[in-house]
Amino acid sequence: MSESDTKRPAAEVYKRLLGYTRQHWGLGLLAVFGMVIEGAAAGAFTWLMEPMINGTFVAQDAAVMRWVPLAIIALFLVRGVAGFIVDVGMARIGGSVVFQLRSEVLAKYQELPLSSFDREPVAMMVQRLSYTADQVARASADALKIIITDVFTLIALLIVMLYASATLTLTILIVTPVIAGIISVVGKRYRRLNHKVQDATSGLAHSAEQSLHNVEAVKIYAGGAMEVERFVAHAKSSERLNRKIIATQATSSALVQIMAACALGALVWFAGRMAVGSGLDAGKFVSLMTSMMAMLPSLKRLTNVQSQLQRGVAAGDSLFAVLDAESEPAAGTSPVDARQDLVLEGVRFRYADDKPWALDGVDLRIPAGKTTALVGRSGSGKTTLARLLPRFYSPQSGEIRLGALPIESIALAELRRHIAVVSQNVLLFDDTVANNIAYGSLQGASRADIEAAAAAANALEFIRELPQGFDTPIGDRGNRLSGGQRQRLAIARAILKNAPILILDEATSALDSESERLIQDALDRILKDRTAIVIAHRLSTIEHADQVVVMDRGRVQETGNHAELLAAQGAYAHLHKLQFRDE
Ligand SMILES: Nc1ncnc2c1ncn2[C@@H]1O[C@H](COP(=O)(O)OP(=O)(O)O)[C@@H](O)[C@H]1O
Ligand SMILES: [Mg+2]
């Protein structure tokens, strides 16, 4: 689901975008009516040229001299009002389309499986919500406005021209297919270029974001120059593409204008002949000339609107790619009893088809109400195993069951309701301490419960020292807190959730031994009657686990309790010896 995964035909994208304007059909109709009026007013004005020239200057008719000026003023009044309705109406409809698309895409992001997030950088996702959605608005509002107004303007002007002289008008029409041909060729090239520009722009944002987020690493490893180089390469290619787009645009405008000039030359030539023989008078000729001149801006806008629409289609296409992506399958059994064994059978999983197996045939029983510790080298698949339990990812083969039920058959919300996770990398929200603990479904928790959870996570002391206590904002991603403080908030959140299944993935890794010991007692109490999966680096914290599972290269190497595994003199005993020596 990348930006280049865009195969929907343009017509389908237009239609789907128009669907978003449906609720504003009344306003839309009014705006379209305004556009028709604008077009008709343009025609009426050039038509007025005939009575103006013939009546005012040639015949010097007093009546015509009175009404023509009044008609001009009235015409522009009507046109002004129509223009206002069009602008305001279309802006409102366009704004509403952006709003709907943004909400839908953000909602969809919440439903996408984690694997989509591995494939697409967050910068690209944010880009879709901001820039891409705006581009779509321009397509469905500005471009539509130009198309309808200018097409009606052209029709009105054409009628005036035919009325003035059919022969001359038909001569001009011969040029039209040529112009149309050029427009279509240029449009195709434009659409291609535009896709590339969008990719380049988000690549640009991604590259900048990376170096800016990782500013500490960039500074200490003197990566600045490299980052700038990388960014400049992106910026250059983006700039090159932009130049190409401008060139394409400029060429098309120039070509169309040259065509029009040829038509004008032919017109003057023919008119000279006709004035001698047939009844082409001065008024009709001026009316025809002004009509033709008035067509030029409309034609020019219409050739450029093509590119604008293409840009909108490309943008809409990339949003629809998100909306059409498959959501996590959420339906299933509910309610379920979570106080049953978790069983993994022949579970194999890899993050992508071209990646090695992260779990390579895991058979494991995680007994209900007991603590199971996962240990093993980094990269052995512990985190991955823990991620499969709340169905963040689904195994490619094998089965995970809760009691007798395959977890795939449990309603996703129900499954996750029963699981609390403290993950390895704690990311918090830009909100207060209290709101970070009572997050999501925990929102309604009382202050007393929040404080109790914070106390159990040994977080009360540092929270009390914050300037506004529980109501202190903790900054973007919690960057005003230390790693250990963030971890304690995440633990408090998990404690508050009070779920029957608890997953702690190196949940105390960022704590010093002192704080860890303090939390450990609290954790031991909480783990007591729950199904707990504890991933630990420091073996001393899992000595009391009911079951210890040693993982290696995506497989279960050993299982047993601390004493049994030590006695077995295997991998666990080896790990233990290494750590014991260190301490
Ligand atoms: N999001 C991911 N995308 C691709 N590969 C991943 C991802 N997360 C982990 N891996 C890979 O899966 C393997 C197991 O990783 P992990 O479960 O995190 O190990 P552990 O938690 O035991 O250190 C590693 O080889 C790691 O590189
Ligand atoms: Mg891990």
Side-chain angles (χ1 to χ4, degrees), residues 118 351-352 355-359 376-385 387 393 424 505-506 535 551:
D118 292 338
Y351 284 94
K355 294 259 165 66
W357 293 102
L359 294 178
R377 283 190 297 203
S378 118
S380 57
K382 306 181 296 290
T383 297
T384 305
L385 196 158
R387 280 178 181 152
Y393 296 89
Q424 206 165 357
D505 189 352
E506 312 210 355
I535 300 173
M551 306 256 326

Side-chain angles (χ1 to χ4, degrees), residues 230-296:
R230 186 157 34 198
F231 186 78
V232 164
H234 274 297
K236 258 192 197 141
S237 89
S238 162
E239 164 60 17
R240 213 165 27 236
L241 280 167
N242 260 324
R243 272 209 302 269
K244 269 195 203 164
I245 284 204
I246 303 278
T248 313
Q249 219 166 18
T251 315
S252 87
S253 304
L255 278 177
V256 170
Q257 294 205 30
I258 289 167
M259 298 287 146
C262 291
L264 186 64
L267 172 76
V268 174
W269 186 76
F270 270 109
R273 313 257 136 165
M274 283 176 72
V276 183
S278 64
L280 184 68
D281 58 39
K284 281 193 169 137
F285 181 70
V286 171
S287 171
L288 196 141
M289 276 282 281
T290 42
S291 293
M292 226 196 86
M293 299 300 275
M295 275 184 173
L296 289 185

Side-chain angles (χ1 to χ4, degrees), residues 47-64:
W47 176 80
L48 267 181
M49 290 298 137
E50 191 201 335
M52 192 179 94
I53 299 289
N54 286 349
T56 310
F57 298 107
V58 181
Q60 308 209 329
D61 181 331
V64 174

Side-chain angles (χ1 to χ4, degrees), residues 263-538:
L264 186 64
L267 172 76
V268 174
W269 186 76
F270 270 109
R273 313 257 136 165
M274 283 176 72
V276 183
S278 64
L280 184 68
D281 58 39
K284 281 193 169 137
F285 181 70
V286 171
S287 171
L288 196 141
M289 276 282 281
T290 42
S291 293
M292 226 196 86
M293 299 300 275
M295 275 184 173
L296 289 185
S298 282
L299 277 176
K300 193 179 160 190
R301 264 198 302 273
L302 278 173
T303 55
N304 285 335
V305 86
Q306 171 79 353
S307 64
Q308 209 168 338
L309 262 181
Q310 301 286 16
R311 199 187 324 202
V313 165
D317 205 7
S318 110
L319 291 184
F320 292 147
V322 174
L323 292 179
D324 292 348
E326 212 163 315
S327 300
E328 293 178 296
T333 318
S334 175
V336 297
D337 175 18
R339 289 171 200 281
Q340 301 185 70
D341 293 359
L342 277 162
V343 180
L344 289 85
E345 231 173 56
V347 170
R348 297 186 89 200
F349 171 79
R350 57 181 168 191
Y351 284 94
D353 293 343
D354 56 351
K355 294 259 165 66
W357 293 102
L359 294 178
D360 195 4
V362 173
D363 294 294
L364 183 63
R365 174 174 287 268
I366 299 169
K370 302 257 165 67
T371 298
T372 297
L374 298 181
V375 301
R377 283 190 297 203
S378 118
S380 57
K382 306 181 296 290
T383 297
T384 305
L385 196 158
R387 280 178 181 152
L388 297 190
L389 300 178
R391 268 167 60 196
F392 288 150
Y393 296 89
S394 291
Q396 273 84 6
S397 63
E399 194 174 61
I400 304 175
R401 288 190 306 270
L402 179 61
L405 275 179
I407 58 170
E408 255 83 31
S409 72
I410 301 173
L412 198 57
E414 174 79 0
L415 178 68
R416 291 183 182 163
R417 197 167 65 80
H418 290 304
I419 303 179
V421 181
V422 179
S423 55
Q424 206 165 357
N425 298 310
V426 176
L427 288 179
L428 296 172
F429 300 90
D430 188 1
D431 206 334
T432 62
V433 171
N435 288 342
N436 265 287
I437 296 176
Y439 175 74
S441 61
L442 308 174
Q443 239 164 26
S446 72
R447 186 46 69 95
D449 289 345
I450 295 174
E451 286 186 13
N458 192 25
L460 214 45
E461 200 178 328
F462 89 79
I463 294 174
R464 291 243 162 95
E465 276 167 17
L466 294 173
Q468 290 144 268
F470 276 90
D471 298 313
T472 313
I474 57 168
D476 185 22
R477 292 161 215 239
N479 58 12
R480 275 177 227 152
L481 301 178
S482 77
Q485 290 171 334
R486 283 202 290 267
Q487 259 181 352
R488 279 178 277 176
L489 288 193
I491 291 172
R493 189 193 287 162
I495 290 172
L496 187 62
K497 185 164 180 183
N498 192 21
I501 300 173
L502 183 60
I503 299 172
L504 302 175
D505 189 352
E506 312 210 355
T508 52
S509 61
L511 296 181
D512 54 284
S513 312
E514 171 72 25
S515 319
E516 188 173 34
R517 205 156 304 141
L518 280 172
I519 293 195
Q520 205 58 49
D521 295 338
L523 280 183
D524 284 343
R525 232 176 302 126
I526 289 149
L527 298 182
K528 200 139 266 167
D529 48 353
R530 280 167 225 274
T531 312
I533 294 100
V534 180
I535 300 173
H537 182 65
R538 238 170 271 153

